Amino acid sequence: MAKKAKGKGGKGGGKSKGPSEEELAKQANAVKNFQKAHAASSQAHGVEPLGIATGTGEAAFGCAVVGPHLVAADKGGVTALHVRALLEGFSLSAYGYLQTLALWNVPIGDDGAAYLALYLRRRSCTLRSIELNDCGVGELGCKAIGGALEDNATVRCLQLDLNAFGDAGARALGASLPSNKGLTSLSMQYCGLTEAAGAILAGGVLRLPSLASLELRGNDLGSGGVVEVLRALVPLHAGGQPHPAMAHLGVADTGCAIEGELHEALTACFDENPLCGSFDMRGAPLGDTTAYELITLFKKVHTHVHAFEVSATSGWGPLDPQLYKQIYAVTAANQKGKKGGKKGKKRGKKKK
């Protein structure tokens, strides 16, 4: 009997099929159960159910977005109780398809963060990405979320931008997050961190071994704070080993300057941590001489640096336009070479 020819879709020919009718029926039932549980919980707490987008109801939805538009201001807007009812709806129905929860510009505060923490401890929680941006989360909220993530293995991305929890919030997160098993991306942009937060981050969240991306834009860390963060990524200041996962560090608009001690800390990071190849340094003053030196290093020595974002103009005035272009050109070439290397490795494996 002749074998069936393989199609473009892979083994067995043809493109991969979508969910079966049985699976779609299961998903539709899960959505209905969630909607019922959400309505019941909302009634119990005396609030209207949030009208999040759930699709047609014929298939499961994986993202829940909560914004101020869901409840009119004259009706009190979105509150922590609305979020509590929503999360209880997911919990009580054991909804197993939710991967992203995004709360944007809703004043749920520490109470809302505490309700989220309760949900994160549920076995039915399947969240991989959490966005709590501009939600009034403070130190207590950070403590609750950090504690809940201590034993959580599903969440990969946590955004806490525009919450003014300051150094105390960063310390609260750092007390628990190092025990987490899967968080890879943490964003704390414009959160009111000061220079003292550098050491707090170094001794806290930067001890999380799976953390691959840290965004700190818009915090008043200054050069001293950024130096502490950079030093936490290299062997001399990290128990003899570079950070095992950190690949991107964003410290744009943090009041630092690429000179002196910070310049030395950056160079040490390039030398000692080959995994970390992406840096956002926009807003940090950079002199022409230092820019030329960095370009030479990226070309000949530190070819793993594939992204180094700087500003064309800073507090020191404009950077030489040619040097500015070269920084981006050289790092882009490194990125291209990095991708080419991966393709070469794959071809080599296939030949074997």
Side-chain angles (χ1 to χ4, degrees):
M1 186 175 177
K3 292 183 179 179
K4 290 183 179 180
K6 291 183 180 179
K8 292 182 180 179
K11 294 181 180 180
K15 295 182 179 179
S16 59
K17 296 179 180 179
S20 65
E21 289 185 11
E22 183 180 356
E23 174 59 25
L24 284 174
K26 180 182 176 183
Q27 291 183 19
N29 190 52
V31 174
K32 288 179 182 177
N33 288 339
F34 157 71
Q35 290 171 334
K36 288 179 182 178
H38 182 202
S41 184
S42 296
Q43 184 177 18
H45 295 300
V47 295
E48 288 293 320
L50 291 174
I52 62 169
T54 58
T56 62
E58 296 176 357
F61 61 95
C63 178
V65 178
V66 178
H69 64 286
L70 292 182
V71 180
D74 60 359
K75 292 185 178 180
V78 177
T79 67
L81 281 179
H82 285 98
V83 173
R84 179 181 184 179
L86 176 69
L87 296 174
E88 286 181 356
F90 288 123
S91 295
L92 295 173
S93 63
Y95 187 80
Y97 298 94
L98 188 67
Q99 294 200 337
T100 299
L101 177 65
L103 289 89
W104 302 331
N105 191 27
V106 287
I108 61 170
D110 290 338
D111 287 343
Y115 297 140
L116 172 59
L118 288 174
Y119 176 60
L120 288 171
R121 295 180 186 277
R122 295 275 187 172
R123 286 187 177 182
S124 59
C125 177
T126 53
L127 280 177
R128 294 181 65 83
S129 178
I130 300 170
E131 299 176 22
L132 285 179
N133 296 335
D134 196 11
C135 291
V137 177
E139 178 186 357
L140 293 178
C142 288
K143 183 177 181 180
I145 292 171
L149 288 175
E150 195 168 10
D151 298 316
N152 180 281
T154 64
V155 176
R156 296 289 179 268
C157 175
L158 175 62
Q159 283 186 21
L160 295 170
D161 302 341
L162 299 167
N163 292 292
F165 48 70
D167 297 351
R171 183 180 287 106
L173 284 169
S176 301
L177 281 186
S179 299
N180 178 271
K181 299 297 188 293
L183 191 70
T184 60
S185 176
L186 175 62
S187 182
M188 296 187 288
Q189 301 183 62
Y190 299 95
C191 289
L193 306 186
T194 70
E195 185 171 344
I200 293 170
L201 294 168
V205 298
L206 282 168
R207 291 189 294 114
L208 172 59
S210 60
L211 190 64
S213 175
L214 178 62
E215 278 289 353
L216 298 169
R217 183 174 189 171
N219 291 294
D220 194 18
L221 296 172
S223 293
V226 175
V227 165
E228 291 293 335
V229 171
L230 286 166
R231 285 178 173 173
L233 305 181
V234 300
L236 181 63
H237 298 271
Q241 295 293 328
H243 193 284
M246 185 62 67
H248 170 77
L249 177 64
V251 287
D253 301 325
T254 54
C256 66
I258 305 175
E259 63 173 347
E261 199 172 11
L262 190 145
H263 183 199
E264 292 174 7
L266 258 179
T267 304
C269 190
F270 298 154
D271 287 336
E272 305 294 338
N273 194 334
L275 278 178
C276 197
S278 175
F279 300 83
D280 186 353
M281 305 294 299
R282 286 174 294 175
L286 171 66
D288 290 350
T289 301
T290 303
Y292 181 78
E293 178 187 329
L294 290 174
I295 290 166
T296 303
L297 287 174
F298 297 158
K299 271 185 179 179
K300 300 180 179 180
V301 183
H302 304 306
T303 55
H304 68 281
V305 179
H306 56 87
F308 194 82
E309 295 183 82
V310 295
S311 296
T313 302
S314 67
W316 293 353
L319 182 64
D320 182 287
Q322 291 303 315
L323 293 175
Y324 176 75
K325 289 180 182 178
Q326 284 183 52
I327 287 176
Y328 282 90
V330 169
T331 51
N334 288 348
Q335 173 69 6
K336 188 175 180 181
K338 184 180 178 184
K339 288 181 178 178
K342 286 182 179 179
K343 288 180 181 178
K345 286 181 181 179
K346 287 182 180 179
R347 283 195 292 268
K349 287 181 180 179
K350 286 181 180 179
K351 286 180 181 179
K352 290 179 182 179

